[in-house]
Amino acid sequence: MNPQKTVMIGLGYIGLPTAAVIASNDIQVTGVDVSEKVVETINQGKIHIVEPSLDELVHKVVQDGYLKATSKPVAADVFLIAVPTPFKGEYIPDLSYVESAIKSLIPFLEKGNLVIIESTSPVGTTKKMQHIINQERPDLEGEFYMAYCPERVLPGNVIYELEHNDRAIGGINETSTKKAQAFYSLFVKGELHATNAQTAEMTKLVENASRDVQIAFANELSMIADKADINVWELINLANKHPRVNILQPGTGVGGHCIAVDPWFIVSEFPKEARIIRTAREINNYKTEWVIEKIKNAALKFELENNKKPKIACMGLAFKPNIDDLRESPALYVTQSLINQGYKVLPVEPNIETHEHLSIYSIDEIIKQADIIVYLVAHKEFGLTVDNSNINVLNFVGL
Ligand SMILES: NC(=O)c1ccc[n+]([C@@H]2O[C@H](COP(=O)([O-])OP(=O)(O)OC[C@H]3O[C@@H](n4cnc5c(N)ncnc54)[C@H](O)[C@@H]3O)[C@@H](O)[C@H]2O)c1
């Protein structure tokens, strides 16, 4: 396959790095985003998210003329979709963004084009979207190719993983799978595993549900160990000395756009069967409430002993270490709940400069001011922050 004109719809944490990596292989990429600010920023060769080495790459491909951002799709050979797929109401997948991305490309679709969905999606989404295209463009029925290819990159290491991770690629038919494999082979060095669309869709959901269940086990242990007056970090470390045991680390809960969301896509479709998956979600959500209760108890103890309300430093707002992504973040949830309940809170997040609702404090400021320090995220900046035995420390992340 020769380099193809490509359109990437959705220029966020997944779409922008993917568009930039494709463009860096001398493929003409038009990035499409509904946010004018995103479009403007990228066309200036700048980025609106934090991701190591992405800024240089975007700067280069924009300057070289291989990546251009717009607010509407254009004609192309390949259309990729990386728009959000959140849930709505009682954990029902919200496909409205994918549907609107599909509808936006339909007027530009031509015979022989390839449409690839990368957004994490419930099983059956690719076929549903194919049906929408067929309904609006009966002239193209059977004349275009379509595939699902989930993304499994690690924020913070996206550029490397985009190029080196294996991919599962599932077409609506075999030709679509082969066309999509040929396209990814232009910029992916990892293996490209062929399957069908519904298996590829389920693969992504299962990967994240598996992580969620394993984290739930660690979080459940942390609450049991606390009650039994056992240090959970030591406990897990010792148990992991067994050659076939590998328990993960507990934390404040589970957040982000993937692990905290995707398992619900399985539960909502298979409510009777997905019992461990549902329980794991509930345990991980409960862990966050448990953390809040622990902090409130420590605050009450401080108030009784000192006759004043403590200033509580909440260390970290992101959903995991060393990133700026606050989506579905349990640390942010803890911080906001404490504020809403009237506690004096000093939020610290070294990966962001400002927040629309919260005043962000520096590490130096909180060491001078805080009465209680609560570690909610294991950011690298937090190692050995506190060297003051007068400050009460609650460490939920094993720093
Ligand atoms: N962030 C991750 O680490 C990660 C990893 C694997 C998979 N995913 C999946 O990838 C998908 C995208 O996630 P993300 O983190 O990049 O989201 P994001 O919110 O960072 O970016 C999505 C972008 O799409 C734009 N957008 C929304 N609707 C649009 C439309 N109709 N047309 C054009 N642009 C539109 C938004 O303005 C935004 O800039 C989701 O399904 C997510 O579950 C994310």
Side-chain angles (χ1 to χ4, degrees):
M1 193 189 253
N2 291 323
Q4 304 266 303
K5 238 181 123 186
T6 301
V7 161
M8 166 61 79
I9 305 182
L11 296 172
Y13 285 90
I14 294 301
L16 179 57
T18 308
V21 166
I22 298 171
S24 70
N25 285 273
D26 297 354
I27 298 170
Q28 206 65 47
V29 181
T30 303
V32 181
D33 204 289
V34 286
S35 158
E36 277 300 333
K37 200 168 160 241
V38 167
V39 169
E40 262 172 45
T41 309
I42 294 167
N43 282 335
Q44 288 165 6
K46 297 183 187 150
I47 61 173
H48 59 291
I49 52 176
V50 171
E51 177 58 42
S53 63
L54 180 63
D55 45 356
E56 298 106 79
L57 189 65
V58 167
H59 184 75
K60 182 172 187 315
V61 289
V62 169
Q63 204 170 40
D64 293 351
Y66 283 108
L67 176 63
K68 187 174 177 303
T70 66
S71 52
K72 294 247 154 42
V74 295
D77 303 296
V78 182
F79 294 88
L80 289 152
I81 295 174
V83 295
T85 40
F87 53 66
K88 54 184 178 187
E90 282 298 294
Y91 303 118
I92 307 296
D94 179 1
L95 283 179
S96 60
Y97 298 88
V98 175
E99 211 173 303
S100 122
I102 286 283
K103 286 187 172 158
S104 74
L105 69 82
I106 287 178
F108 303 94
L109 203 59
E110 288 168 17
K111 194 175 163 184
N113 284 173
L114 171 62
V115 179
I116 301 171
I117 301 176
E118 289 205 354
S119 298
T120 303
S121 303
V123 174
T125 301
T126 311
K127 287 252 159 98
K128 245 185 225 164
M129 297 305 137
Q130 178 196 11
H131 184 67
I132 290 177
I133 299 176
N134 284 342
Q135 276 191 322
E136 295 210 12
R137 292 289 302 274
D139 57 308
L140 287 180
E141 189 159 349
E143 302 283 356
F144 65 96
Y145 306 102
M146 197 157 178
Y148 181 78
C149 179
E151 188 50 72
R152 44 166 72 125
V153 290
L154 178 71
N157 194 28
V158 168
I159 303 294
Y160 177 85
E161 293 207 356
L162 262 173
E163 290 180 326
H164 293 87
N165 284 354
D166 284 12
R167 303 290 290 253
I169 300 177
I172 50 170
N173 48 41
E174 260 182 54
T175 327
S176 293
T177 308
K178 288 207 170 87
K179 294 263 179 200
Q181 275 181 306
F183 173 68
Y184 280 100
S185 71
L186 297 173
F187 61 96
V188 174
K189 296 186 180 80
E191 257 188 77
L192 304 171
H193 303 274
T195 179
N196 55 37
Q198 66 271 27
T199 309
E201 289 160 346
M202 187 61 113
T203 303
K204 171 70 187 174
L205 304 182
V206 161
E207 285 166 11
N208 284 334
S210 154
R211 302 274 299 153
D212 201 40
V213 169
Q214 291 174 57
I215 298 168
F217 183 70
N219 277 334
E220 184 166 291
L221 278 187
S222 70
M223 294 182 278
I224 294 170
D226 184 74
K227 221 170 201 176
D229 199 18
I230 289 170
N231 178 321
V232 70
W233 314 102
E234 185 190 2
L235 173 71
I236 292 175
N237 184 35
L238 289 175
N240 283 349
K241 301 290 178 208
H242 183 296
R244 287 166 296 283
V245 171
N246 186 16
I247 304 170
L248 300 184
Q249 303 293 300
T252 308
V254 169
H257 204 297
C258 292
I259 300 181
V261 176
D262 304 350
W264 290 119
F265 290 10
I266 305 179
V267 174
S268 79
E269 270 185 282
F270 307 96
K272 282 201 179 139
E273 295 80 5
R275 288 162 57 195
I276 290 185
I277 297 174
R278 173 194 285 277
T279 304
R281 267 301 55 246
E282 288 166 353
I283 292 169
N284 286 331
N285 282 345
Y286 174 66
K287 177 67 193 287
T288 310
E289 301 296 339
W290 184 90
V291 165
I292 295 171
E293 284 309 307
K294 284 272 156 197
I295 300 170
K296 284 165 67 177
N297 286 342
L300 182 62
K301 188 164 173 275
F302 179 92
E303 199 174 336
L304 291 174
E305 286 169 1
N306 297 279
N307 213 16
K308 62 171 184 175
K309 283 196 181 298
K311 287 185 183 157
I312 306 169
C314 284
M315 306 297 283
L317 299 175
F319 80 82
K320 65 176 186 176
N322 308 322
I323 58 167
D324 72 328
D325 193 341
L326 308 188
R327 290 175 300 176
E328 311 290 327
S329 168
L332 180 64
Y333 177 83
V334 169
T335 305
Q336 274 174 331
S337 313
L338 292 172
I339 292 171
N340 294 346
Q341 293 175 58
Y343 290 90
K344 289 183 190 169
V345 176
L346 316 173
V348 180
E349 178 43 78
N351 294 294
I352 62 172
E353 274 161 26
T354 53
H355 186 273
E356 55 177 331
H357 305 303
L358 304 172
S359 309
I360 304 295
Y361 290 76
S362 72
I363 294 174
D364 289 345
E365 280 171 316
I366 63 99
I367 288 178
K368 286 186 211 125
Q369 294 187 36
D371 301 304
I372 299 176
I373 292 190
V374 178
Y375 287 102
L376 299 172
V377 188
H379 286 317
K380 60 180 188 305
E381 291 84 354
F382 295 163
L384 299 179
T385 306
V386 193
D387 196 13
N388 179 348
S389 54
N390 292 329
I391 302 179
N392 189 356
V393 174
L394 296 182
N395 181 0
F396 295 106
V397 291
L399 272 165

